[in-house]
Amino acid sequence: MPGDKSVSHRAAMISALAEGTSRIRNFSASADCNATLSCLRELGVSIVREGSDLLIHGVGSDGFRGPGGPLDCGNSGTTMRLLAGILAGQDFATTVTGDESLRSRPMARIIEPLQMMGASISSNDGRAPLVIHGHKPLEPISYEMPVASAQLKSCILFAGLNANGRTEVIENEVTRDHTERMLREFAVPIESGDAEPKGEKASFAAITGPARFLARDISVPGDISSAAYFVAAAALLPGSSLQLSEVGVNPTRVLFLKQLGALGLDVEIVGVREKSNEPVGVVRVRGAERQTPSAKFDSPMMVQRLPMMIQGLIVPQLIDELPLLAVVGSQIEGGIEIRDAGELRVKESDRIAATAMNLKAMGAEVVEFDDGLRVSGQTQLRGAKIDPRGDHRIAMAFTVAGLIAQGETDIEDAECVGVSFPEFFELLDSVVER
Ligand code: S3P
């Protein structure tokens, strides 16, 4: 699988902040990660491609230069939110902006803690463009996140690299921990652990600045969120058998595969080992003839009626896979209900509305809630015209739906998959039999 997008963003930014030249293997070719590279170049970082490797000449935490104009983060929330943490600690001002989708997404969540740390930020009513007047050094803070977001956590930790003292982030729900792992890989000390008694599942990550560190060689694991579309398609298409190697299987990212297993689908992870402080493994999947949920209901009557519930603390660990899980849910007995997922409305598109609209177009029964949706199960989907609303994950989820549907599915603007996975259609073509 092509390199993980989340890990690639972090590898590029942390390498840029390091002293010396880092080599990054299997760097994501996604448009989002290219946006990160072009912003770093504007900040004076020299980056060279060597085949599928990237060489990043780190400038150290004092080495960025003020860019000549606004930094364009394209469609990439990760670029904007993580980079903002770095820019907050610089002694110059930077404007960061992006495409129409990114300019509509909430940025107040990063503005608040960065201002508490001493940066001054103006915005378009909590949205980009943001003008970030950095402050050097920043003030350390202890911050309890009001929203479960790895992007917010990473933004604050990156700002903490340029703060004088210990910056701590407390989260009440587990989110992906690639930033903590990558910083440790670069030998930056990060403390982490349980943050009892704040909340049942509360945890903290803390960094003591100012931090200086040296370049490293990094291997980026295959993207498990990209692999998810292949896994779901193979699991739902009877007679399929697929093996994906070198896939990142970080525990904060594998919940989708575990859910498929809980639904009785034949998915396993084998051969796990560590690479650049991230677990990687082989994912094997076989298409089942008939799927039944393995949920522990008392009577068979209940199995008929109850949808599989996805809600609560697990939601942030499944966040990018929820549209796909809704498609999978349309195939299982009882269907699926997803709640506590209001964040989906402020992703690259309103993913609750986009998923509901397109599933309905394919003949599924869907009820939309403010914070999620319910999809009836065991639906024979029919081919339809799909509008992914420019959102890569909607386009890929509905390509999987198109594979299991009867009749032709036409995905408009399908090239939007390039935001995370430009190789998607070519790779899919190489494993789908006609
Ligand atoms: C990401 C975190 C998630 C995810 C996004 C990538 C990251 O966003 O949806 O695709 O790389 O940190 P939030 O942390 O804002 O939920």
Side-chain angles (χ1 to χ4, degrees):
M1 294 306 291
D4 185 272
K5 179 164 82 76
S6 287
V7 176
S8 294
H9 282 297
R10 286 148 173 92
M13 291 185 200
I14 297 172
S15 297
L17 287 167
E19 281 158 32
T21 301
S22 295
R23 179 178 291 272
I24 308 176
R25 298 194 164 83
N26 200 30
F27 190 84
S28 163
S30 64
D32 271 13
C33 290
N34 278 333
T36 286
L37 297 183
S38 69
C39 290
L40 291 173
R41 285 191 176 108
E42 292 291 314
L43 291 163
V45 180
S46 145
I47 301 173
V48 179
R49 271 200 194 270
E50 255 184 24
S52 63
D53 290 8
L54 213 57
L55 291 179
I56 300 197
H57 300 286
V59 293
S61 54
D62 294 324
F64 287 139
R65 58 148 206 252
L71 296 184
D72 185 359
C73 303
N75 190 244
S76 175
T78 312
T79 304
M80 184 172 286
R81 295 195 178 114
L82 270 59
L83 209 51
I86 296 173
L87 296 170
Q90 306 299 318
D91 53 12
F92 50 79
T94 318
T95 301
V96 289
T97 189
D99 68 9
E100 200 184 330
S101 152
L102 187 54
R103 280 186 275 112
S104 74
R105 296 179 64 188
M107 293 296 150
R109 59 184 65 183
I110 59 163
I111 295 173
E112 181 187 86
L114 294 177
Q115 283 186 330
M116 285 165 70
M117 295 179 83
S120 137
I121 302 178
S122 57
S123 70
N124 177 19
D125 200 16
R127 291 175 172 76
L130 308 179
V131 185
I132 303 173
H133 293 268
H135 191 274
K136 205 168 193 162
L138 291 167
E139 285 289 319
I141 53 169
S142 172
Y143 193 75
E144 186 173 342
M145 296 204 296
V147 39
S149 163
Q151 295 180 352
L152 172 56
K153 173 175 66 176
S154 306
C155 168
I156 299 169
L157 290 174
F158 279 174
L161 289 169
N162 281 322
N164 246 342
R166 184 176 182 275
T167 295
E168 177 188 58
V169 189
I170 295 160
E171 57 181 6
N172 292 306
E173 291 160 78
V174 176
T175 64
R176 62 192 71 187
D177 64 353
H178 302 302
T179 299
E180 297 91 307
R181 284 171 179 268
M182 183 70 69
L183 284 169
R184 282 197 184 107
E185 180 65 10
F186 277 78
V188 180
I190 295 271
E191 300 162 60
S192 57
D194 294 340
E196 309 293 358
K198 290 245 179 192
E200 208 191 316
K201 281 268 176 194
S203 63
F204 77 94
I207 194 162
T208 299
R212 306 274 175 268
F213 48 95
L214 300 177
R216 298 279 304 190
D217 285 358
I218 295 291
S219 285
V220 179
D223 195 318
I224 190 168
S225 295
S226 298
Y229 303 99
F230 287 77
V231 173
L236 292 175
L237 291 167
S240 301
S241 170
L242 197 60
Q243 177 164 305
L244 304 153
S245 52
E246 300 287 320
V247 180
V249 289
N250 179 312
T252 62
R253 299 282 301 281
V254 291
L255 222 57
F256 175 75
L257 302 188
K258 302 240 150 114
Q259 288 296 333
L260 293 190
L263 289 170
L265 299 172
D266 189 357
V267 180
E268 59 174 353
I269 302 170
V270 294
V272 178
R273 63 194 201 290
E274 291 270 319
K275 250 185 164 181
S276 302
N277 204 26
E278 286 279 354
V280 294
V282 176
V283 178
R284 284 194 195 137
V285 50
R286 272 173 205 288
E289 281 307 321
R290 184 105 209 87
Q291 292 85 42
T292 45
S294 71
K296 303 152 213 75
F297 302 122
D298 290 328
S299 83
M301 286 282 289
M302 301 280 278
V303 176
Q304 299 286 317
R305 281 190 279 123
L306 285 180
M308 170 164 213
M309 287 301 302
I310 303 288
Q311 62 186 349
L313 293 175
I314 61 168
V315 166
Q317 294 175 62
L318 281 166
I319 195 77
D320 290 339
E321 285 72 61
L322 289 176
L324 179 60
L325 206 51
V327 169
V328 174
S330 73
Q331 301 305 299
I332 61 172
E333 235 174 299
I336 196 163
E337 184 169 327
I338 298 170
R339 303 304 291 260
D340 302 322
E343 270 293 297
L344 283 183
R345 294 209 182 268
V346 290
K347 292 292 180 188
E348 287 84 325
S349 69
D350 176 342
R351 287 184 175 162
I352 294 176
T355 303
M357 173 187 80
N358 287 310
L359 270 173
K360 282 182 193 162
M362 297 184 91
E365 234 178 83
V366 185
V367 181
E368 198 177 317
F369 308 107
D370 280 351
D371 66 343
L373 72 177
R374 181 165 61 228
V375 185
S376 305
Q378 293 178 307
T379 307
Q380 174 57 65
L381 297 177
R382 21 167 229 272
K385 205 175 181 63
I386 299 297
D387 176 4
R389 301 192 176 174
D391 186 328
H392 55 128
R393 298 216 185 273
I394 301 296
M396 292 188 281
F398 281 88
T399 301
V400 174
L403 286 173
I404 55 179
Q406 239 164 35
E408 189 174 276
T409 295
D410 177 2
I411 317 243
E412 287 173 29
D413 179 28
E415 64 278 13
C416 68
V417 301
V419 161
S420 64
F421 196 179
E423 309 87 343
F424 177 66
F425 288 111
E426 204 183 310
L427 268 178
L428 192 61
D429 235 15
S430 73
V431 294
V432 172
E433 270 180 26
R434 288 158 211 272

